[in-house]
Amino acid sequence: MSETSPRKAVVLVSGGMDSAVTIAIAREQGYQVHALSVAYGQRHNAELAASERVSGLLGAVEHKTVFVDLRTIGGSALTADIDVPLDQTGEQGIPVTYVPARNTIMLSIALGWAEVLGSADIWCGVNAVDYSGYPDCRPAFIEAFEQLANVATKAGVEGAGIRIHAPLMRMSKADIAREGQRLGVDFSETVSCYQADAEGRACGHCDACHLRAQGFSAAGLPDPTRYA
């Protein structure tokens, strides 16, 4: 790579507002974005179409979808025959929408692709402020995975090392909405709902919908979400 070549970054993209803003931040910092989505058997597969759409709109040089069917192990309302909780407030503990080991699997795939591309930088949109309480969205998880990446890979042992970027980690949903507006993200093209219909229209009642709506409201921004 020449000194003038752009730095490559693998960016995990779910199709929701957080990952869209993450792409925009990576682009602003001069990275050449290689967008990666994982089709893991999620019930809200409209987000996969959104992930390809927003990756193109935000200037990714390519978008790849990897298929890993987590329905074979189940254990989540997003991958098994378990109802998505609706209009719940104050739920204690890790909710049933947690997908066992999902972010570990996604980051592992991103790590492999980064090695192939010669990229030292992996970006993801995890957030530990306004989120659903998932253990793999915490700073401790990201720090631990980065340590693993630098132990487990040729790039980590012989190369420049691997860095995991989580720029939204300490932002509120309102902060994320404002940052996306500043960077020109078209949130109407994103899908966050856990049970969006085939056209990407949101239910308005799941935890993801509530967090998203609260974020736009707290930011004082119009909510462009399409509801069923």
Side-chain angles (χ1 to χ4, degrees):
M1 185 173 69
S2 73
E3 293 182 357
T4 58
S5 298
R7 294 171 294 171
K8 297 178 180 178
V10 174
V11 182
L12 283 167
V13 185
S14 69
M17 62 184 294
D18 294 355
S19 61
V21 174
T22 301
I23 292 179
I25 295 173
R27 292 276 294 130
E28 183 183 51
Q29 294 189 17
Y31 284 90
Q32 180 187 80
V33 169
H34 300 257
L36 175 65
S37 301
V38 179
Y40 58 89
Q42 58 267 60
R43 67 167 67 215
H44 51 316
N45 57 17
E47 71 173 12
L48 294 171
S51 68
E52 182 171 6
R53 193 165 59 239
V54 299
S55 296
L57 289 171
L58 292 170
V61 295
E62 65 176 322
H63 173 264
K64 183 186 296 291
T65 299
V66 173
F67 293 81
V68 181
D69 192 353
L70 297 182
R71 290 175 299 184
T72 57
I73 61 173
S76 168
L78 303 188
T79 57
D81 189 17
I82 301 171
D83 290 339
V84 173
L86 303 178
D87 299 321
Q88 291 195 353
T89 59
E91 184 179 8
Q92 299 297 313
I94 298 171
V96 295
T97 50
Y98 164 71
V99 180
R102 176 179 56 184
N103 285 350
T104 303
I105 293 166
M106 288 181 172
L107 279 170
S108 296
I109 297 169
L111 176 59
W113 195 25
E115 276 209 282
V116 172
L117 291 171
S119 167
D121 298 280
I122 297 170
W123 291 62
C124 60
V126 297
N127 171 255
V129 180
D130 289 341
Y131 74 125
S132 296
Y134 302 151
D136 53 2
C137 289
R138 299 175 301 164
F141 167 72
I142 295 299
E143 293 165 7
F145 190 91
E146 185 174 89
Q147 291 179 5
L148 178 147
N150 284 292
V151 170
T153 62
K154 180 178 179 179
V157 174
E158 297 180 355
I162 298 290
R163 293 178 293 275
I164 310 296
H165 303 255
L168 312 185
M169 181 62 80
R170 302 185 190 283
M171 290 186 181
S172 67
K173 266 291 189 279
D175 292 335
I176 294 167
R178 293 188 195 96
E179 183 71 348
Q181 184 192 47
R182 182 184 72 79
L183 293 167
V185 173
D186 182 354
F187 287 118
S188 70
E189 298 290 347
T190 65
V191 173
S192 300
C193 177
Y194 289 147
Q195 50 183 7
D197 66 14
E199 297 179 17
R201 293 177 299 187
C203 74
H205 298 282
C206 68
D207 194 36
C209 281
H210 284 302
L211 288 170
R212 176 177 170 121
Q214 290 165 6
F216 283 115
S217 176
L221 297 174
D223 182 354
T225 305
R226 295 180 299 118
Y227 291 98

